[in-house]
Amino acid sequence: MTRLFPGFGGQLKRGPAIPSPNIWNWPDVYEQENRAQDADGALWAALRELAPWAGADVLDIGCGDGFHLPVFAAEAASVTGVEPHPPLVERARRRVAELPGVQVLEAGAARLPLPDASVDLVHARTAYFFGAGCEAGLAEADRVLRPGGALAIIDLDFTVPPYGDWLRADLPRYDPAKVERFFDGHGFTMRRVPTVWRFEDRATLEAVLRIEFSAAVADRAIARTPGLTVPVGYRLHVRRRPPGLLRG
């Protein structure tokens, strides 16, 4: 799950993959973050309702070190993870090495190494798709989706405190309403999903907040979090490729 934020104004930079310092630099801490996220399964429940994957061919874009791939693999016909950062590709491959029907490919969202109309679900969780500037990735997702297939994009909801407050403190030019209008204008439905991150101990919670935020914001977040849980809001955007759509 590679979190690549836009350049504050909502535009993604062109060219090589934008570094994602949290998981690129601290993959072991990010592993603990993944384990803490969505502790009650609210995101998975919403995704299962709106874009079920049982028996489907699934593509996970920006899969990072493959944390979510085994969840899909438990029910899907096949699972492909795509990740642009080579060290994370290797970690993901080690994670899924014993799982049948799962592969991890080194690639970015704007140039997917899959045939046309080859998957039923394209999933991206806090990766690449952050609003204006991701049009190339949207087009690629449409290309690889079969008619009736779904593109499901999960991103953080900057409007939900306290986590959203900390995000806005570090990214003051990010406009949540503008991003929501972007996805709405591209034919997505949107559901807000409240979740809880639950940690085993304070040391892990504090380490995670320090890789997610600047030092000053992390200090404030830690001071405002007396226990082991953090409420975090997400948005789930879903768009289906029309059945019977013919490519020109």
Side-chain angles (χ1 to χ4, degrees):
M1 183 164 58
T2 304
R3 203 175 77 174
L4 308 181
F5 272 109
F8 298 140
Q11 295 294 323
L12 290 167
K13 296 178 182 179
R14 304 292 181 182
I18 305 167
S20 185
N22 46 17
I23 191 171
W24 284 29
N25 294 337
W26 296 280
D28 293 331
V29 177
Y30 201 83
E31 175 79 11
Q32 298 301 316
E33 179 176 338
N34 269 326
R35 293 178 183 177
Q37 289 180 3
D38 193 23
D40 299 324
L43 270 175
W44 284 113
L47 183 63
R48 187 183 299 278
E49 177 187 346
L50 299 179
W53 59 90
D57 295 311
V58 176
L59 169 64
D60 188 12
I61 293 178
C63 71
D65 65 0
F67 186 83
H68 299 112
L69 300 182
V71 180
F72 289 117
E75 298 180 56
S78 71
V79 180
T80 299
V82 167
E83 167 59 42
H85 189 49
L88 293 180
V89 172
E90 292 307 312
R91 287 175 66 102
R93 287 174 175 165
R94 289 195 297 270
R95 188 190 297 273
V96 302
E98 303 301 320
L99 296 179
V102 182
Q103 64 176 340
V104 180
L105 305 177
E106 183 183 334
R111 186 171 293 178
L112 298 172
L114 279 77
D116 293 357
S118 57
V119 300
D120 304 295
L121 171 63
V122 175
H123 167 267
R125 187 173 303 206
T126 59
Y128 178 83
F129 295 96
F130 296 105
C134 73
E135 290 86 352
L138 294 177
E140 272 290 86
D142 281 347
R143 180 185 66 79
V144 302
L145 275 173
R146 296 184 178 114
L151 168 58
I153 296 169
I154 296 171
D155 65 359
L156 289 158
D157 191 339
F158 281 56
T159 69
V160 177
Y163 203 86
D165 298 337
W166 305 331
L167 287 169
R168 292 197 309 277
D170 269 344
L171 300 171
R173 292 176 58 190
Y174 181 90
D175 185 342
K178 182 178 180 181
V179 172
E180 291 172 14
R181 289 193 298 270
F182 171 86
F183 284 113
D184 181 66
H186 282 78
F188 287 83
T189 61
M190 189 266 285
R191 177 180 294 187
R192 298 187 193 277
V193 183
T195 77
V196 173
W197 292 11
R198 186 173 295 120
F199 297 87
E200 294 184 358
D201 53 64
R202 284 290 298 182
T204 303
L205 181 150
E206 293 183 12
V208 165
L209 292 178
R210 292 199 184 281
I211 71 169
E212 290 297 344
F213 299 108
S214 65
V217 173
D219 286 343
R220 190 171 76 189
I222 290 167
R224 288 190 54 191
T225 308
L228 298 178
T229 62
V230 182
V232 180
Y234 290 85
R235 299 173 296 198
L236 170 57
H237 311 275
V238 177
R239 182 176 77 181
R240 289 198 170 272
R241 189 176 178 209
L245 181 66
L246 299 177
R247 295 186 61 84

